[in-house]
Amino acid sequence: MNLTNNFPSHVGIIMDGNGRWASKRHLPRLAGHKAGVEAIRRTIEFAEEFGLKVLTFFAFSTENWKRDKEEVEGIFDIVRSYANTDFEELEKRNIRLETMGDISKIPSDLFQKLLEVKEKTKHNTGLILNLAINYGARDELVMCFNNLVKLGKKEITEQDIAQNLYSASLPDPDLIIRTSGEQRLSNFMLYQSSYSELYFTKVFWPSFKKRHFKKALKTFSRRERRFGGNHKN
Ligand code: IPE
Ligand code: IPE
Ligand code: MG
């Protein structure tokens, strides 16, 4: 596959459909979230193979607290066990961990672990693995504007905004993939996605394989991004 001329730097993934994947199999919803971890592993491997710069996973939104306590706790248990098993390897793989969202509100051991691993991997130069946890774009913009107020700004620029978002150190996503057939952003990177290419697939997240990622990248490579400019042909 020739992706050299039009390859994204930053891919954001809205991992949706874990619950439906599970209910189709008469399994509890948490089994779907657990199976979703395998898809995360596959996707990271593929991103490394392709030399992607940034891979963002939308793991838990500011609205996901509305779910049953059992599911919310179960999701954090799964993230915790993923962190305990997989974060060890990040150093060896030269992966830098980043997060987006107010992670101070999640279980404190997991919060500490994320801070620790972010610090430990901050000089790594390979893939940036960006986990959006307790992330919501509206919440992010409110946080951003409050920061700017605290800085005493009377007038703000686009640059001020970009520099005070969670994603300040990252390029905007070139491609956003959403699984499960829903065609919406659900409060994901609303400011940063102004010119992102959107790709929707019906596949439920736990069934997302390398071939699906490849197909999304291939579709992306055929699109012409104009950023408001003229057509090339
Ligand atoms: C996405 O899968 C995972 C999270 C939002 C945490 P869902 O749990 O939303 O799965 P569906 O949409 O109910 O199938
Ligand atoms: C979006 O999925 C959030 C994550 C993938 C973490 P949801 O399942 O929460 O989105 P809606 O409710 O269908 O819009
Ligand atoms: Mg969903």
Side-chain angles (χ1 to χ4, degrees):
M1 185 178 23
N2 178 19
L3 291 170
T4 45
N5 34 1
N6 202 7
F7 190 67
S9 293
H10 181 176
V11 176
I13 304 189
I14 303 173
M15 309 182 281
D16 198 12
N18 294 353
R20 279 164 284 169
W21 179 93
S23 65
K24 221 175 90 184
R25 287 163 179 76
H26 309 288
L27 294 168
R29 293 181 58 83
L30 283 173
H33 296 309
K34 253 184 218 144
V37 172
E38 277 311 314
I40 291 178
R41 291 188 176 119
R42 288 194 289 270
T43 306
I44 294 175
E45 264 175 33
F46 188 76
E48 285 183 287
E49 283 166 29
F50 266 82
L52 199 74
K53 290 198 174 69
V54 189
L55 181 60
T56 296
F57 288 111
F58 198 7
F60 192 86
S61 79
T62 45
E63 288 73 36
N64 287 147
W65 296 104
K66 290 179 194 160
R67 298 185 181 199
D68 293 347
K69 192 166 169 263
E70 194 191 332
E71 181 174 351
V72 171
E73 283 174 0
I75 289 173
F76 288 123
D77 286 344
I78 290 165
V79 178
R80 182 182 293 108
S81 96
Y82 169 72
N84 288 334
T85 53
D86 289 42
F87 280 3
E88 218 42 63
E89 267 195 18
L90 297 183
E91 196 58 58
K92 206 168 67 202
R93 289 162 72 174
N94 196 23
I95 295 178
R96 177 176 131 204
L97 181 73
E98 281 292 341
T99 61
M100 285 198 312
D102 184 1
I103 54 171
S104 71
K105 302 281 180 349
I106 70 173
S108 62
D109 64 313
L110 188 53
F111 169 55
Q112 291 303 334
K113 176 94 184 173
L114 288 165
L115 291 186
E116 183 195 304
V117 177
K118 271 162 72 165
E119 180 61 28
K120 220 164 101 185
T121 62
K122 72 177 181 197
H123 297 300
N124 288 352
T125 54
L127 176 73
I128 297 174
L129 170 62
N130 183 32
L131 301 180
I133 305 176
N134 191 23
Y135 173 82
R138 290 183 175 183
D139 185 60
E140 177 182 40
L141 286 166
V142 170
M143 179 275 302
C144 166
F145 299 147
N146 278 324
N147 276 348
L148 294 169
V149 168
K150 277 185 215 136
L151 290 170
K153 298 264 179 193
K154 296 273 181 303
E155 221 175 85
I156 58 172
T157 62
E158 287 192 9
Q159 205 187 2
D160 288 326
I161 297 174
Q163 286 173 349
N164 283 276
L165 296 173
Y166 289 120
S167 61
S169 68
L170 307 175
D172 286 344
D174 302 292
L175 170 65
I176 294 176
I177 298 172
R178 182 170 187 147
T179 56
S180 92
E182 309 300 347
Q183 302 195 4
R184 54 178 172 263
L185 289 173
S186 301
N187 209 7
F188 181 67
M189 299 192 99
L190 299 185
Y191 187 82
Q192 302 90 325
S193 66
S194 300
Y195 273 102
S196 302
E197 293 295 326
L198 307 180
Y199 180 85
F200 301 103
T201 169
K202 289 207 168 99
V203 174
F204 293 142
W205 176 249
S207 303
F208 192 79
K209 303 275 168 25
K210 288 188 183 181
R211 69 171 188 281
H212 300 114
F213 199 1
K214 223 177 199 166
K215 197 172 162 202
L217 293 174
K218 203 162 186 172
T219 304
F220 174 87
S221 75
R222 289 201 202 100
R223 294 199 190 161
E224 188 195 326
R225 301 179 78 193
R226 290 191 284 275
F227 300 97
N230 285 323
H231 291 243
K232 282 202 192 93
N233 304 305

